[in-house]
Amino acid sequence: MLSEYFRRRQAKSSQAIRNRFKLALVEKVPLFAGLSGRDLQKIARLAAEVETPAGMKLATLGEAGREMFIIVEGEALVTTQPGRTTYLRSGDFFGEMSLLDGDPRSATVEATTPIRLLVLSRGAFWQLLDETPSLVHKIMHTLSQRLRQAERSSLDLDRKSADR
Ligand code: CMP
C-alpha cells in the first residue's frame, strides 16, 4: 500500500519534471513567442516531446495525418508530390495541413539529423487554435508563405521546360 503511494508520488514528480522540461522547450519556439505564461504552460501539458534519429520518416505522403510537429532541434527534409524538396529547421512546424483539412499528408517529411520535436495531437491542435488566436495568425502566415514559395517554384519549372 505504502509502496503504491510512493510509486504514485514518484510518477507525479517525474511528470512534473517532464512538464518543466517541456515548458523550457515550448518557451524557445518562435511559433509560441508572445503567448502568456499560462498559454505556454497549457502547450507544455498538451504537447509530447519526442526525439528520433536521422532517417526517421515523420510523415508519409498520402497517409492519414494525426499530429502536428514543431522542430525544437534538428533538420527535416520535405518532399512534395511533384518531387520538390525543402528543408525545415529548428522553430519550423509541419503536419498542420492534414489536421486542418482532414486530407492525407501532402508530402513526406524525413529527419535528416537526429531531431527533437514537440508533437500535438489533432485534439490538442484544435484546442490551441480555438483558444489562442495569435497561433492561428502565425500558422496562416506560414501557410501563405509556403503557397507563394510553391507558386514561385512551379513558375520556375514552367519557364525551364519552356526554354528547352
Ligand atoms: P501535412 O500535409 O499534414 O504533412 C506533410 C507536411 O509537409 C504538410 O502538412 C506541411 O506541414 C509540410 N509541407 C507540405 N508542403 C510544403 C512546402 N511546400 N513547404 C514546406 N512544408 C511543406
Side-chain angles (χ1 to χ4, degrees):
M1 201 62 183
L2 204 59
S3 64
E4 176 61 10
Y5 169 78
F6 283 116
R7 197 193 61 72
R8 279 212 203 122
R9 276 200 61 169
Q10 200 174 20
K12 246 191 189 167
S13 72
S14 53
Q15 183 61 47
I17 290 168
R18 273 202 297 277
N19 281 347
R20 269 207 297 279
F21 177 67
K22 274 194 287 174
L23 181 60
L25 298 181
V26 166
E27 284 169 346
K28 282 199 268 175
V29 173
L31 179 64
F32 304 136
L35 296 186
S36 68
R38 224 167 148 214
D39 283 337
L40 295 174
Q41 278 176 7
K42 182 166 60 188
I43 295 168
R45 270 197 313 276
L46 290 171
E49 185 259 333
V50 174
E51 279 177 73
T52 74
M56 181 68 82
K57 247 189 206 172
L58 304 163
T60 304
L61 177 79
E63 288 190 357
R66 294 180 190 85
E67 304 97 1
M68 172 183 156
F69 304 85
I70 300 131
I71 302 177
V72 179
E73 282 166 24
E75 189 183 77
L77 180 67
V78 179
T79 307
T80 61
Q81 179 122 50
R84 270 198 299 274
T85 55
T86 184
Y87 281 94
L88 299 179
R89 299 188 172 86
S90 169
D92 291 330
F93 62 84
F94 61 92
E96 77 294 345
M97 289 174 65
S98 291
L99 299 191
L100 287 169
D101 63 14
D103 280 359
R105 295 292 194 202
S106 61
T108 293
V109 186
E110 193 171 328
T112 49
T113 64
I115 196 165
R116 187 194 295 272
L117 301 154
L118 287 168
V119 185
L120 290 171
S121 68
R122 182 188 297 274
F125 173 76
W126 280 109
Q127 182 185 336
L128 289 175
L129 290 195
D130 286 344
E131 294 173 2
T132 327
S134 70
L135 219 51
V136 180
H137 295 184
K138 286 185 181 172
I139 289 175
M140 284 171 67
H141 178 88
T142 300
L143 282 173
S144 168
Q145 288 199 322
R146 286 181 184 167
L147 180 60
R148 286 180 198 277
Q149 178 60 44
E151 289 292 318
R152 272 198 295 272
S153 308
S154 69
L155 209 64
D156 286 349
L157 268 183
D158 288 349
R159 283 207 192 104
K160 272 183 201 147
S161 56
D163 288 349
R164 266 189 234 130

